[in-house]
């Protein structure tokens, strides 16, 4: 599934008052400084002091390991060894969140996302000694530095390579937690590291790549930060950004660019837009923020109203055209109809609860009636009693069982059989932690807590065992090369929608 949307002449509708409020909520960043914890030159393991005394000539390469995932900017102090430098030093650098990324060849990359996301830098030092601050922000644990050339008269010394890391996450908000075992603590800690790295001036989608807001990711980050860093104002800022720049007809964009100034992307994903009323309700449940309710109520309900008017037939079933506008998971062969139907029912429930808060009870009642009718229609259309599970356009997938469960359509006591059936079916597998999050949540909601916990330990624990410092955008157990973009070289290995174990553990296990 390629996600490339180009709407000629697209001009988002900007709401200056909402965008001003978003701007006023821009957080300040906290900086920390980090040196490599080890340097590898060939098979020699060097300390930073040893590296500073090791001349590097043409073609030589060193791997700097910072020992943890960082989001920040690098400064190099370079020096010369030998005769007076008579030519610039030229360096090539590759930044990587995982070692595996350094193995791929950027020149051979042929995926559908831009190759410019591959984190590289080329620098020239005209005068030595010197200090060079790299202009771009990178997300990395490893930096591979190759000396492309110096001259026969001198070699290069790397005196230091300090990263100024940045985040707006407030560690002092974290509460001590008692974990039943080390595995769970590790899964939880990696989740915190992931969210911290994505917590910048907005809740970024992945600091290596998009560095902007995506609506589906935002909801999961918000749920997780409420129980960890408690960045309530940052969630509020993100909600205002989505409401402040939209499609001309009021729909929320799937993502918002934040620089140079907020601007909706011309990409619409129905299930993402429907996450907005859900996210707003969850934010209000946490904060009781009446300003946000007043400002964001109308934009939130517009998403649901648009869907009812444009995406549902008389029977209360999602239309075939609209299922094409849904994300749900990165799977080409997935039928998204039942899943997106489930998201819409959840959004109707959220809309009704928003109406209650706002004092429009009759309107809330109408959403409730619609949700009830859609539940009935879903059961009739998608549930196959002989199979004991839901079918979407004839296909059995875990995705459909998940969203029918979360939407309250799953027959009572039917979940265990439905999930067993779907797991055994040859249907499309789940590709992303985004989908796995909803899977685990659905298991818990269906009373299948043991299965949920096991899956959480297997899936996120699997990434931890594979060496993850932060959770990856895409993870398919047993296939480290899985990628939605035809190449893992552009995969993000610290990704917003993957950060939820801290939420899940806190909510269901502690
Ligand atoms: C990717 C982003 C994001 C996701 C969308 C659908 O480009 O990384 O996480 O929400 O796709």
């Amino acid at each position: 599934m390629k996600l490339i949307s180009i709407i000629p002449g697209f001009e988002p509708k900007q709401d200056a008052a909402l965008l001003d409020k978003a701007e006023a909520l821009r957080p300040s960043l906290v900086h920390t400084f980090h040196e490599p914890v080890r340097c590898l030159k060939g098979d020699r393991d060097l300390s930073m002091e040893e590296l500073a005394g090791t001349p590097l000539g043409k073609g030589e390469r060193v791997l700097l390991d910072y020992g943890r995932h960082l989001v920040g900017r690098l400064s190099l102090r370079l020096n010369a060894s030998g005769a007076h430098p008579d030519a610039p030093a030229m360096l090539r650098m590759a930044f990587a969140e995982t070692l595996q990324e350094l193995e791929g060849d950027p020149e051979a990359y042929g995926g559908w996302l831009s190759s410019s996301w591959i984190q590289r830098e080329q620098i020239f030092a005209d005068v030595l000694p010197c200090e060079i601050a790299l202009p771009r922000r990178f997300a990395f644990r490893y930096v591979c530095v190759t000396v492309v050339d110096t001259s026969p008269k001198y070699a290069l010394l790397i005196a230091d390579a300090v990263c100024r890391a940045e985040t707006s996450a407030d560690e002092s908000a974290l509460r001590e937690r008692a974990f039943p075992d080390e595995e769970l603590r590790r899964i939880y800690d990696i989740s915190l590291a992931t969210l911290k790295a994505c917590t910048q001036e907005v809740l970024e989608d992945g600091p290596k790549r998009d560095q902007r807001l995506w609506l589906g990711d935002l909801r999961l980050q918000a749920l997780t930060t409420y129980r960890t860093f408690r960045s309530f104002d940052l969630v509020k800022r993100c909600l205002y950004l989505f409401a402040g720049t939209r499609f001309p007809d009021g729909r929320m964009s799937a993502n918002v660019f934040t620089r140079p100034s907020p601007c909706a992307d011309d990409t619409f994903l129905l299930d993402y837009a429907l996450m907005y009323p859900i996210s707003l309700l969850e934010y209000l449940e946490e904060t009781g923020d009446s300003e946000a309710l007043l400002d964001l109520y109308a934009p939130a309900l517009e998403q649901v109203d648009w869907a009812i008017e444009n995406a549902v037939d008389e029977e209360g079933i999602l239309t075939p055209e609209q299922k094409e506008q849904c994300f749900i998971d990165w799977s080409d062969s997935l039928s998204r109809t039942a899943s997106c139907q489930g998201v819409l029912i959840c959004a109707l429930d959220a809309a009704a609860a928003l109406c209650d808060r706002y004092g429009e009870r009759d309107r809330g009642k109408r959403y409730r009636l619609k949700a009830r009718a859609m539940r009935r229609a879903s059961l009739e259309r998608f549930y196959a009693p002989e199979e004991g599970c839901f079918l979407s356009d004839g296909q059995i997938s875990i995705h459909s069982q998940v969203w029918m469960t979360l939407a309250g359509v799953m027959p009572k006591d039917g979940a265990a059989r439905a999930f067993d059936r779907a797991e055994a079916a040859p249907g499309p597998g789940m590709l992303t932690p985004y989908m796995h999050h909803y899977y685990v949540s659905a298991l818990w909601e269906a009373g299948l807590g043991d299965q949920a916990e096991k899956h959480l330990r297997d899936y996120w624990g699997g990434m931890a065992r594979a060496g993850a410092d932060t959770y990856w955008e895409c993870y398919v157990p047993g296939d480290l090369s899985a990628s939605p973009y035809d190449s893992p070289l552009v995969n993000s290995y610290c990704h917003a929608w993957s950060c939820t174990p801290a939420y899940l553990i806190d909510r269901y296990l502690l």
Side-chain angles (χ1 to χ4, degrees):
M1 168 189 180
K2 282 190 193 163
L3 194 56
I4 303 174
S5 159
I6 303 172
I7 302 178
F10 179 76
E11 295 241 1
K13 185 173 83 172
Q14 306 286 100
D15 182 322
L18 295 182
L19 292 178
D20 284 350
K21 289 195 183 183
E23 181 53 34
L25 290 162
R26 182 192 290 269
S28 39
L29 298 176
V30 179
H31 295 108
T32 48
F33 294 86
H34 305 265
E35 288 214 347
V37 295
R38 62 184 198 136
C39 314
L40 282 177
K41 183 166 181 290
D43 45 20
R44 281 175 61 210
D45 211 328
L46 307 172
S47 67
M48 205 49 212
E49 293 74 49
E50 288 167 326
L51 179 71
T54 306
L56 301 169
K58 178 172 177 154
E60 290 199 281
R61 159 182 308 193
V62 359
L63 177 71
L64 310 178
D65 176 2
Y66 287 78
R68 54 187 284 188
H69 186 279
L70 297 170
V71 177
R73 293 157 209 277
L74 199 73
S75 290
L76 295 172
R77 263 196 320 119
L78 303 174
N79 217 330
S81 155
H84 194 289
D86 58 336
M90 178 184 177
L91 306 182
R92 225 172 253 141
M93 309 179 71
F95 294 76
E97 296 180 303
T98 65
L99 276 177
Q100 192 202 347
E101 280 170 276
L102 292 173
E103 286 159 17
D105 173 9
E107 304 310 320
Y109 171 78
W112 64 270
L113 273 193
S114 174
S115 61
S116 62
W117 290 120
I118 302 170
Q119 304 185 97
R120 288 171 287 183
E121 195 67 83
Q122 181 162 294
I123 57 177
F124 293 86
D126 290 306
V127 178
L128 291 164
C130 69
E131 197 165 330
I132 297 181
L134 302 190
R136 301 185 70 211
R137 197 197 74 184
F138 292 106
F140 64 97
R141 169 174 167 174
Y142 304 98
V143 183
C144 180
V145 185
T146 306
V147 178
V148 181
D149 213 346
T150 51
S151 92
K153 289 172 70 98
Y154 80 100
L156 192 76
L157 297 172
I158 301 178
D160 61 38
V162 175
C163 171
R164 191 173 88 136
E166 51 198 51
T167 176
S168 66
D170 175 10
E171 302 236 338
S172 71
L174 297 176
R175 275 181 293 145
E176 253 315 304
R177 295 277 190 283
F179 293 90
D181 54 74
E182 265 318 297
E183 180 185 53
L184 218 55
R185 170 185 293 280
R186 175 104 190 97
I187 293 174
Y188 184 94
D189 285 348
I190 297 174
S191 162
L192 285 189
T194 309
L195 180 58
K196 181 180 170 187
C198 296
T199 303
Q200 299 290 338
E201 289 187 339
V202 292
L203 285 163
E204 288 184 9
D205 143 86
K208 162 177 169 178
R209 230 187 33 230
D210 297 22
Q211 299 178 20
R212 60 178 178 261
L213 273 168
W214 280 84
L215 200 31
D217 301 69
L218 171 64
R219 180 194 180 197
L220 300 192
Q221 287 172 301
L223 288 175
T224 309
T225 198
Y226 298 150
R227 288 169 185 263
T228 55
F229 298 110
R230 302 172 67 77
S231 308
F232 298 110
D233 278 354
L234 187 60
V235 175
K236 181 175 184 180
R237 166 168 155 78
C238 297
L239 291 169
Y240 274 77
L241 283 169
F242 275 110
T245 175
R246 286 187 271 155
F247 274 53
D249 63 3
R251 278 176 296 156
M252 299 267 171
S253 171
N255 72 95
V256 165
F257 301 103
T258 57
R259 283 170 295 171
S261 54
C263 177
D265 184 22
D266 54 350
T267 300
F268 177 69
L269 294 171
L270 178 60
D271 53 335
Y272 270 32
L274 292 170
M275 286 296 167
Y276 191 85
I278 299 174
S279 306
L280 177 61
L281 177 67
E282 288 163 346
Y283 170 75
L284 297 174
E285 283 168 350
E286 290 293 331
T287 62
D289 182 340
S290 52
E291 181 195 33
L293 175 63
L294 284 182
D295 287 339
L296 305 177
Y297 176 74
L301 294 194
E302 273 182 60
Q303 309 315 304
V304 180
D305 292 343
W306 187 92
I308 296 173
E309 275 156 38
N310 298 281
V312 181
D313 64 19
E314 310 83 66
E315 280 174 64
I317 296 290
L318 197 80
T319 62
E321 308 80 61
Q322 290 306 323
K323 71 177 186 200
E324 302 305 329
Q325 302 213 58
C326 294
F327 173 67
I328 304 295
D329 190 15
W330 280 120
S331 168
D332 282 334
S333 58
L334 175 69
S335 160
R336 295 171 161 76
T337 313
S339 300
C340 196
Q341 174 94 3
V343 178
L344 177 48
I345 295 171
C346 295
L348 282 164
D349 288 341
L354 287 172
C355 292
D356 293 349
R357 284 183 174 258
Y358 197 79
E360 285 198 317
R361 292 197 180 269
D362 287 346
R363 190 172 178 188
K365 216 168 174 185
R366 288 201 294 277
Y367 289 129
R368 277 197 185 92
L369 285 176
K370 186 75 193 167
R372 196 181 304 158
M374 284 188 68
R375 281 194 180 91
R376 255 198 320 267
S378 308
L379 200 59
E380 270 167 34
R381 170 68 68 93
F382 303 116
Y383 194 65
E386 65 294 353
E387 297 277 5
C389 68
F390 291 89
L391 268 70
S392 179
D393 304 315
Q395 179 190 75
I396 299 178
S397 68
I398 295 180
H399 310 67
S400 301
Q401 318 313 312
V402 165
W403 279 108
M404 287 289 102
T405 302
L406 294 173
V409 185
M410 181 66 80
K412 210 169 172 320
D413 300 327
R417 185 168 163 224
F419 281 112
D420 281 353
R421 178 71 186 89
E423 268 151 40
M430 295 181 284
L431 230 72
T432 57
Y434 180 70
M435 192 57 222
H436 281 267
H437 165 86
Y438 286 115
Y439 174 46
V440 167
S441 306
L443 290 175
W444 257 304
E445 292 306 316
L448 302 170
D450 290 349
Q451 206 173 323
E453 178 178 347
K454 180 174 181 317
H455 193 76
L456 181 128
R457 288 178 186 268
D458 285 351
Y459 187 70
W460 280 273
M463 276 187 261
R465 287 186 288 277
D469 299 295
T470 48
Y471 290 125
W472 309 336
E473 162 179 35
C474 171
Y475 173 55
V476 178
D479 179 8
L480 291 184
S481 65
S483 168
Y485 314 114
D486 307 325
S487 162
L489 258 190
V490 291
N491 282 16
S492 150
Y493 288 93
C494 172
H495 210 69
W497 67 25
S498 315
C499 76
T500 59
Y503 161 77
L504 295 166
I505 291 170
D506 196 69
R507 168 151 184 198
Y508 294 107
L509 289 174
L510 294 188

